[in-house]
Amino acid sequence: MKRNKQNKLERWEVSIIKAMIDENNLNDQDILAYFTRPTRSINHGRIKEIRSGEKHKNVAAASSEELENFRASWPQIDFSTGLHIRGDELLIKSREAMLHAVQSYNSPKTYFKSEIFIVTAVIAWTYLLHWHYKQIGIDYRHMKKGTNEPLKTKHGADKHWELEACLSSDKCPLDEATSSNLKFIIEVRHEIEHQMTQRIDSSISAKLQACCLNFNTYYKNLVGDRYGLESDFGVALQFSAIETEQRNLLLKETNLPKNFLAAQQAFEDRIQDSILSDSRYSYRVALIQKTANTRGKADQLVEFVKADTTEGQDIQRILLKETEKKKYKPKEIIKIIRSDGYKKFSMQDHTELWQELGARNAKHAYGVFLRDKDWWWYENWLERVRLFCSENADRFK
């Protein structure tokens, strides 16, 4: 845990300390032992200031019942992490929320994997950033415009920053790629939170994986290496192998909700290519079945192979073969769209659409020049045309 320059006692703790002083059977060092912990170091001078009345004059001493309740529940430690249940509540809940997000996603009985993950992961990141801002003395409450008066909820609680506001702060500790990953997840959440969705898990799983890894990285960076989450989960086991037909189905994104496709396209059009290719924005791995085991070698489900080894180079050759994108000429796009039922969609309509969207700009990755003036479209452009036609069905049916 990095040392916090803002270490200080909470108001309720001052109240308990005053009650302990009134008992007159503990010295300052004994009292201090109740309030110093690995995540927060308090100088013994703070107890002296309370005893002398130099500080916290307006805080009343706790009642004898409150003092007994404090002692009965002390040390209030989460034994899995060593964090203080009350003092480190934001950290504990943040960590627990992300663990629940991953556990729910990995559960074979969960049908709404992405939806549950996104909602819970947003909570995890929000609590972590709230903790960080509290540590560095940033007031993360929403204020009434032009005042220092905090906005309130319907029932009188302070309104704290949502994750979007945490990310927009100039004191946000996250790098641009990690921040973009979270902004994408928030964008998806806005699309799914009030309606049922279908078939989005495989299309955003790389972003969700990046979200997990980023959270673990920043949790350790901000709180301490010993609090990492990597030891809580291993590689998920499968009850069945992925057959060729299953693989092809997983690789083919079909019939995704058009509102989801539009939201994803609009978001990724706004970010730089360097962010799109950053593993902190979207984390992908390649799985290649091994047909033989090595005698005497440890049996590992997942092996990490260096790229410059013979095996690594062989894998790269396989990946290049497997990931070659299917390409379409404009006439093929028109033919497929018309077979979808949009009989009036013409080459002129197609040309006007790609020109309006600037679809040949390399940042969109909609297609490629194979030879001079020989343009071919990728599958994602076909899906974009389908989206356009579905939004203008009356015109093209």
Side-chain angles (χ1 to χ4, degrees), residues 199-317:
R199 303 174 300 278
I200 69 171
D201 292 340
S202 61
S203 64
I204 62 172
S205 58
K207 270 87 167 184
L208 305 188
Q209 179 64 72
C211 179
C212 292
L213 297 175
N214 294 341
F215 182 86
N216 192 44
T217 296
Y218 275 99
Y219 201 94
K220 292 194 294 184
N221 286 349
L222 297 174
V223 187
D225 288 341
R226 66 183 292 260
Y227 300 101
L229 285 72
E230 62 266 32
S231 62
D232 289 85
F233 286 106
V235 177
L237 299 178
Q238 303 277 355
F239 280 110
S240 61
I242 298 178
E243 302 297 338
T244 303
E245 293 79 6
Q246 291 175 294
R247 180 203 64 184
N248 293 336
L249 183 61
L250 287 169
L251 292 174
K252 187 178 181 181
E253 293 182 12
T254 58
N255 299 320
L256 287 169
K258 63 181 182 181
N259 65 306
F260 169 77
L261 282 172
Q264 179 169 326
Q265 185 66 53
F267 181 86
E268 296 196 335
D269 280 349
R270 298 195 300 267
I271 62 178
Q272 300 175 358
D273 291 347
S274 59
I275 300 298
L276 279 173
S277 61
D278 196 307
S279 62
R280 290 167 295 184
Y281 173 70
S282 184
Y283 187 92
R284 300 176 180 88
V285 294
L287 296 179
I288 299 177
Q289 183 178 356
K290 295 190 69 174
T291 57
N293 293 318
T294 302
R295 189 184 301 275
K297 188 176 181 180
D299 185 18
Q300 294 177 304
L301 176 62
V302 175
E303 289 186 47
F304 291 90
V305 180
K306 291 184 177 180
D308 57 359
T309 63
T310 301
E311 187 173 2
Q313 291 170 356
D314 288 342
I315 290 173
Q316 289 182 53
R317 282 192 287 272

